[in-house]
Amino acid sequence: MDGLVAAVLAGEDGEAAAVRLGAARCAAGVGIAEAIDDLAAFYQCVDGGPPPTPMLRALCEGWTDEQASGIALGSCLDPSSGLPTRDYLATRLVETYAVSRRAGVSPTQSHRLLVLDAATPSATPWSRLARSATVGAALRDQFGDVHPMASLGGDVFVVLVDEMELDEQPSDDPDGPTALDRVVTRTLAHVARHALQLDVPELVRHPPRVRLEGLPAVYEDAERLLVDLTR
């Protein structure tokens, strides 16, 4: 980061320093989402705006090159989005089905999968990384640790939504949108806001495709559903 700070403050081309920063963050086991957050925080301090697109591209390219050289992060965490992987969510679904059985409630009635597809025709490595990081940050910001979520690859992301918890949240308009409708609306707004903060709205499908999938009656079918949703 010191090299990038020195280059930018001196008015010099900082792309080479951004490449080195991306590589260093990856080598240290830092996901691309956190690396982009570092870059965004720096530019927020410098001029109050998002990082320039060339700098963001350089950071992503440095991170990608370092990862390709053999650096690997934890198997339960997708490094591009900072979200857990499909295998992690499958484990959480085992817990969900077990809890539902003990409570005498069918998962088909208590939970849904919110599926978000943010893919665009752009297929460059840096744009895919920036897109995944943007969506991952938006979902973490909205759902936090309350609802398990995962990146399924191919710019498809899922969140396990507990309908019972949502129904407990009061609405100002009882005749207005349902709790699930409000979740979808907030998800779209969060993704759009994070894309604008990074000045990369063109890298995220506008608007992203968001749909709700009901959980099957048995876990084995839910596990197959995650596979079917994976690109």
Side-chain angles (χ1 to χ4, degrees), residues 29-42:
V30 175
I32 187 61
E34 187 175 346
I36 289 177
D37 285 345
D38 291 343
L39 188 68
F42 168 62

Side-chain angles (χ1 to χ4, degrees), residues 114 116-119 130-143 157 159 183-210:
L114 184 148
L116 186 150
D117 182 347
R131 180 161 54 243
S132 292
T134 298
V135 175
L139 294 180
R140 290 194 305 275
D141 182 42
Q142 178 180 352
F143 294 100
F157 308 85
V159 182
V183 167
V184 170
T185 300
R186 286 197 299 270
T187 300
L188 291 171
H190 272 69
V191 172
R193 178 167 59 85
H194 279 268
L196 286 174
Q197 285 177 342
L198 285 177
D199 197 24
V200 291
E202 74 283 357
L203 299 183
V204 179
R205 183 193 297 274
H206 182 71
R209 292 177 181 171
V210 178

Side-chain angles (χ1 to χ4, degrees), residues 47-209:
D47 57 16
T53 298
M55 299 294 288
L56 183 60
R57 181 187 297 113
L59 178 85
C60 290
E61 289 176 351
W63 191 95
T64 302
D65 289 345
E66 182 66 23
Q67 187 188 45
S69 70
I71 301 299
L73 300 182
S75 60
C76 289
L77 193 68
D78 167 44
S80 64
S81 66
L83 299 180
T85 61
R86 185 189 69 190
D87 289 343
Y88 168 83
L89 184 58
T91 301
R92 296 300 302 270
L93 281 174
V94 171
E95 299 171 2
T96 299
Y97 277 80
V99 170
S100 296
R101 283 197 302 270
R102 289 197 296 270
V105 177
S106 171
T108 61
Q109 299 174 317
S110 61
H111 289 78
R112 299 279 190 97
L113 287 177
L114 184 148
V115 184
L116 186 150
D117 182 347
T120 70
S122 173
T124 62
W126 87 267
S127 64
R128 288 197 299 267
L129 285 172
R131 180 161 54 243
S132 292
T134 298
V135 175
L139 294 180
R140 290 194 305 275
D141 182 42
Q142 178 180 352
F143 294 100
D145 297 326
V146 177
H147 300 284
M149 62 189 78
S151 169
L152 300 185
D155 298 312
V156 176
F157 308 85
V158 293
V159 182
L160 180 62
V161 178
D162 187 331
E163 290 192 59
M164 294 183 177
E165 288 184 7
L166 294 178
D167 289 338
E168 294 174 357
Q169 301 175 10
S171 171
D172 296 332
D173 182 5
D175 297 322
T178 66
L180 286 172
D181 290 335
R182 294 196 299 273
V183 167
V184 170
T185 300
R186 286 197 299 270
T187 300
L188 291 171
H190 272 69
V191 172
R193 178 167 59 85
H194 279 268
L196 286 174
Q197 285 177 342
L198 285 177
D199 197 24
V200 291
E202 74 283 357
L203 299 183
V204 179
R205 183 193 297 274
H206 182 71
R209 292 177 181 171

